[in-house]
Amino acid sequence: MKLLCLQKNLNHALMIGEKIISRSINLPILSNILLETDQGRLKISSTNLEIGITSWIGAKIEKEGALAVPIKPLSSFIASLPNKKINLEINKSVLNIKCGSMEANIKGLSAEDFPLIPQIKEPYFIKIKSQILKNALSQVIPAVAISETRPEITGVFFNFNKTKSDRFILAATDSYRLAEKTVKLKNSSDIKEEKQDRKASEKTIIIPRVTVQELIRILPEEGEVAISLSENQILFNFEATNLVSRLIEGTYPDYKQIIPTTFKTKTIINTNELINSIKIASFFTNARINSIQLKIKPKDTLEISSETGDIGSNLSRLTAEIEGKEERITFNWRYVLDGLNNITTEKVILETNGPNSPSLLRPADGEDYIYIIMPIKS
């Protein structure tokens, strides 16, 4: 292989692919990134056997070839170079890199030993603006379970139902909180929908948490993402990058049954004021006890307090619009903030049913996002 490319483009492609690369002792090839020529471009591939990322950049190809190269020295050296043209050349399993007065030689492994990244050839069933998908995933991922004791809730649930073909739903839960985001499809200037496979449009799937984290990290702010499905894999295609991931097997729990339909008390309050008061209350908790107390006093006062024996106590009083009965509820402050930080409206609605029942947070001007929190039982 012998080619010429720009440092900026190669550095960007390496940053996209390097985070998923494993430092595997048993499979050293997984510590490498695959460089290969492909129809007049340089193809850069990485995989950890669960996720595969492939990017293409423009290059002037003089000689075809491929080599698996250790990611750490390669990405570190390329990132240190100026934004100029780079010469890449393979000579007997060694990658020679030249950029101006700088040069490096990195020993690689045979490209034939690099794992195959699954190819999904099915046509896409959704094309959506990248920023919309990125924001939606960001809103639900805090609620994904980390523990592997229930694998089916260690990912984001994706529901595309033909009876509601103008939208799809993302949901996540760890049994202590639940986040659900509805993304509208029809009559939106932001989203293009092309369902070429009616069967695929009826799919419900579970996307692993690590895959969602990678998508949030690498999805661009501009452009569109095309999503395709096979039996147990999902493909996200955007710009000159493909991300393919396995899907989690199993049935997602019927979370709808835990969403309350009626509430005893409704509180409308300024979002930033509530966030700030909860952050202040958290200073008076410790790592073992993350509890804060909310006292709702109709018709206009919400009190946020916390107390720890070896630290002290704190009390904030906020003005709010309150309908219903007086309530006193204890929450894990981290869980409350995870929900509030994903609500961007000026005001937020908190709906409650007492100290032992699920409470709900949602934007004051819409119901496309809901966040359910289980109180700490008194």
Side-chain angles (χ1 to χ4, degrees):
M1 181 177 77
K2 186 176 182 180
L3 59 87
L4 188 69
C5 66
L6 289 176
Q7 182 272 349
K8 179 181 178 181
N9 295 341
L10 179 56
N11 186 51
H12 178 67
L14 292 174
M15 286 193 299
I16 287 175
E18 69 178 334
K19 293 294 183 182
I20 67 165
I21 292 179
S22 167
R23 305 292 186 262
S24 174
I25 298 175
N26 297 326
L27 288 173
I29 194 68
L30 294 180
S31 301
N32 291 257
I33 201 160
L34 180 63
L35 304 178
E36 59 184 322
T37 54
D38 181 26
Q39 298 181 358
R41 295 185 294 174
L42 176 61
K43 181 179 177 182
I44 301 102
S45 304
S46 58
T47 183
N48 59 10
L49 302 182
E50 301 290 328
I51 305 171
I53 298 178
T54 304
S55 296
W56 289 262
I57 64 171
K60 182 180 179 182
I61 310 295
E62 295 185 26
K63 184 179 179 182
E64 304 286 341
L67 187 68
V69 184
I71 186 59
K72 189 173 181 180
L74 176 62
S75 62
S76 298
F77 181 65
I78 296 299
S80 301
L81 296 176
N83 184 23
K84 296 181 178 180
K85 293 179 180 178
I86 296 177
N87 288 284
L88 301 180
E89 185 173 4
I90 296 173
N91 185 11
K92 294 182 179 178
S93 296
V94 175
L95 177 66
N96 175 259
I97 309 168
K98 292 181 183 178
C99 181
S101 61
M102 299 182 183
E103 183 175 357
N105 292 290
I106 303 176
K107 294 180 180 179
L109 298 173
S110 171
E112 294 180 358
D113 297 330
F114 196 81
L116 290 175
I117 295 176
Q119 300 294 312
I120 297 179
K121 297 180 180 180
E122 283 82 355
Y124 71 82
F125 72 100
I126 283 182
K127 184 175 278 190
I128 179 173
K129 273 202 168 181
S130 175
Q131 188 177 40
I132 292 175
L133 179 61
K134 187 172 188 171
N135 290 344
L137 292 172
S138 297
Q139 286 183 288
V140 299
I141 195 170
V144 174
I146 296 175
S147 171
E148 297 288 337
T149 55
R150 295 181 63 192
E152 69 277 7
I153 62 172
T154 60
V156 171
F157 177 67
F158 183 108
N159 181 9
F160 190 84
N161 192 314
K162 73 173 184 177
T163 62
K164 295 181 179 179
S165 58
D166 62 334
R167 66 195 65 190
F168 68 90
I169 294 173
L170 302 177
T173 184
D174 61 2
S175 299
Y176 301 102
R177 61 257 179 89
L178 162 73
E180 183 190 70
K181 174 69 175 179
T182 300
V183 181
K184 294 181 180 178
L185 291 173
K186 272 188 180 176
N187 302 320
S188 170
S189 60
D190 292 327
I191 301 173
K192 177 183 177 184
E193 179 192 15
E194 289 190 20
K195 299 190 293 293
Q196 297 164 342
D197 182 348
R198 190 61 181 175
K199 219 173 165 186
S201 72
E202 298 170 18
K203 284 274 190 178
T204 59
I205 56 174
I206 309 170
I207 305 173
R209 177 174 56 90
V210 291
T211 302
V212 175
Q213 289 173 327
E214 282 304 305
L215 284 167
I216 293 169
R217 182 179 71 87
I218 68 177
L219 281 172
E221 296 297 326
E222 303 294 334
E224 291 183 315
V225 185
I227 304 174
S228 302
L229 287 171
S230 66
E231 186 174 348
N232 56 7
Q233 303 277 347
I234 188 166
L235 169 68
F236 298 87
N237 177 266
F238 50 94
E239 292 185 334
T241 298
N242 285 348
L243 183 150
V244 63
S245 169
R246 70 172 182 88
L247 296 172
I248 295 176
E249 296 181 359
T251 302
Y252 205 77
D254 182 14
Y255 67 86
K256 290 285 189 181
Q257 63 183 348
I258 70 166
I259 300 176
T261 55
T262 59
F263 296 92
K264 294 178 181 178
T265 307
K266 178 180 179 181
T267 303
I268 304 175
I269 192 165
N270 182 279
T271 308
N272 288 333
E273 289 180 4
L274 182 56
I275 288 173
N276 189 52
S277 295
I278 290 173
K279 284 181 179 178
I280 291 171
S282 74
F283 303 154
F284 294 84
T285 65
N286 56 40
R288 186 175 62 85
I289 304 173
N290 290 321
S291 64
I292 61 170
Q293 191 172 87
L294 272 64
K295 186 175 181 180
I296 303 167
K297 303 172 70 174
K299 299 180 181 180
D300 59 4
T301 304
L302 174 64
E303 293 183 350
I304 299 101
S305 62
S306 59
E307 182 176 2
T308 307
D310 56 346
I311 299 175
S313 62
N314 162 259
L315 172 65
S316 298
R317 292 185 178 91
L318 301 179
T319 301
E321 301 171 45
I322 299 171
E323 299 174 6
K325 58 179 289 187
E326 180 171 314
E327 293 191 327
R328 188 188 298 263
I329 308 173
T330 302
F331 291 110
N332 181 317
W333 67 264
R334 294 182 186 276
Y335 292 172
V336 179
L337 275 188
D338 281 344
L340 288 173
N341 285 333
N342 284 301
I343 294 175
T344 58
T345 54
E346 181 182 356
K347 292 187 176 182
V348 62
I349 295 175
L350 170 65
E351 295 176 297
T352 53
N353 276 321
N356 298 314
S357 299
S359 296
L360 184 147
L361 285 169
R362 60 182 172 88
D365 63 352
E367 298 185 356
D368 64 333
Y369 178 70
I370 60 171
Y371 186 84
I372 307 290
I373 324 164
M374 290 300 299
I376 297 173
K377 291 188 177 182
S378 54

